[in-house]
Amino acid sequence: SDDLFAEMALDDALQFRSSLINTPRDGQNRLWGTDPDLAFEVFEQGLSQGGKASEGLAGPAVQTAADSAVPILLKFITLPGNEKVAADIGRALRLASDPALVETQIRALLASDVEEVRIRGLTAAGWMATPGLDSAILDVRKADARTPVRSAVRGATSRSYRLGAMMSLAVA
């Protein structure tokens, strides 16, 4: 009887936690349709505070207005300590209806001499997994010997290769 009570209490706590976590996401998803400008402001603020509440919202942001979403996503793609949000952002970048827009913005990041900006560009390029951006990653590898950049090049190359292999497998 005590075990059953403890199990029921745990179940209730998990359901409460789940509803508490999903409430901001549900509200944000409704906001995309009613007031996109405010939705983007709330989305960007959520990302700037660590991104946990923004997980799962990058896709709807891109679908609402890619031209507003892509700069925000590229700004936070290297969000420290939250790989789930980074993966969500990477998937959302590939959802953009105009991949050329995304690629142009990523190339601008890669062209920067600022280490942090270039690393954001490399991370995004790895998530896009396109031949053009793979070539741009290689160009950065040849031109920039800074250790953090080299590490980002390895990560981007690895991710792009894995995603490319997965895409090829899905097509086959």
Side-chain angles (χ1 to χ4, degrees):
S1 173
D2 286 342
D3 287 342
L4 179 61
F5 178 79
E7 194 171 303
M8 288 171 52
L10 180 60
D11 240 12
D12 289 344
L14 289 173
Q15 286 178 354
F16 176 75
R17 180 178 174 269
S18 175
S19 67
L20 201 64
I21 287 173
N22 290 330
T23 300
R25 188 173 306 151
D26 293 341
Q28 179 79 20
N29 282 330
R30 284 191 294 276
L31 202 53
W32 292 123
T34 58
D35 189 348
D37 292 334
L38 181 59
F40 279 108
E41 188 177 322
V42 169
F43 179 59
E44 186 169 9
Q45 185 176 15
L47 286 171
S48 71
Q49 293 175 356
K52 290 185 196 272
S54 301
E55 186 184 331
L57 294 175
V62 168
Q63 291 166 344
T64 300
D67 55 334
S68 297
V70 170
I72 294 170
L73 298 178
L74 292 176
K75 180 179 176 183
F76 291 101
I77 194 158
T78 56
L79 196 63
N82 202 331
E83 187 61 32
K84 287 183 179 180
V85 173
D88 184 44
I89 289 172
R91 284 189 298 271
L93 289 172
R94 289 194 311 270
L95 288 175
S97 59
D98 185 4
L101 166 82
V102 177
E103 190 164 326
T104 300
Q105 292 184 36
I106 291 172
R107 284 182 180 277
L109 296 175
L110 292 173
S112 172
D113 287 332
V114 178
E115 186 176 288
E116 176 189 315
V117 174
R118 186 168 277 178
I119 289 170
R120 282 191 284 135
L122 287 165
T123 303
W127 278 107
M128 291 299 289
T130 64
L133 287 174
D134 287 348
S135 175
I137 292 170
L138 182 61
D139 292 343
V140 170
R141 179 177 169 248
K142 292 175 184 175
D144 197 332
R146 294 176 285 189
T147 302
V149 173
R150 303 287 270 179
S151 178
V153 164
R154 281 191 299 278
T157 304
S158 173
R159 178 171 287 117
S160 182
Y161 175 77
R162 284 194 317 269
L163 288 171
M166 288 171 45
M167 288 183 227
S168 296
L169 192 61
V171 169

